[in-house]
């Protein structure tokens, strides 16, 4: 799923969900669609925190997390 950051602030949640679902492949299961929508919700929440100045995860920590996921 591709997110346009600017669309989060100008679209309602309903519009975001409808737009996201339209962009998904037709062959996804219900569970996969729900997972994509949960990801969308998390991205939206974290962007809102960032806009409020709430610090995110430091880059070094993200690199460590990615390394641990890739090596599994």
């Amino acid at each position: 799923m591709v997110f346009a950051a600017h669309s989060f602030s100008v679209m309602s949640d309903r519009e975001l969900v409808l737009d996201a679902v339209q962009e998904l492949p037709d062959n996804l299961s219900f569970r996969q669609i729900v997972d994509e929508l949960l990801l969308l919700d998390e991205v939206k929440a974290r962007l809102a925190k960032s806009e409020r100045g709430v610090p995110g995860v430091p880059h070094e920590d993200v690199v460590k997390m990615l390394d641990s996921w890739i090596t599994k």
Side-chain angles (χ1 to χ4, degrees):
M1 183 180 297
V2 177
F3 303 112
H6 67 278
S7 66
F8 285 96
S9 60
V10 296
M11 295 174 77
S12 69
D13 286 348
R14 181 179 184 275
E15 290 171 317
L16 283 170
V17 167
L18 291 173
D19 189 53
V21 170
Q22 282 296 117
E23 296 296 320
L24 294 173
D26 290 337
N27 63 341
L28 290 184
S29 69
F30 186 83
R31 181 64 200 177
Q32 289 170 313
I33 293 168
V34 169
D35 286 345
E36 291 291 331
L37 293 176
L38 289 171
L39 174 61
L40 176 64
D41 184 56
E42 187 65 28
V43 169
K44 184 179 179 221
R46 290 183 186 235
L47 281 173
K49 282 183 178 180
S50 176
E51 289 172 2
R52 291 192 314 267
V54 177
V57 179
H59 177 74
E60 298 80 24
D61 293 348
V62 172
V63 170
K64 289 176 187 174
M65 286 187 287
L66 285 173
D67 285 344
S68 73
W69 298 339
I70 293 170
T71 58
K72 285 186 177 180

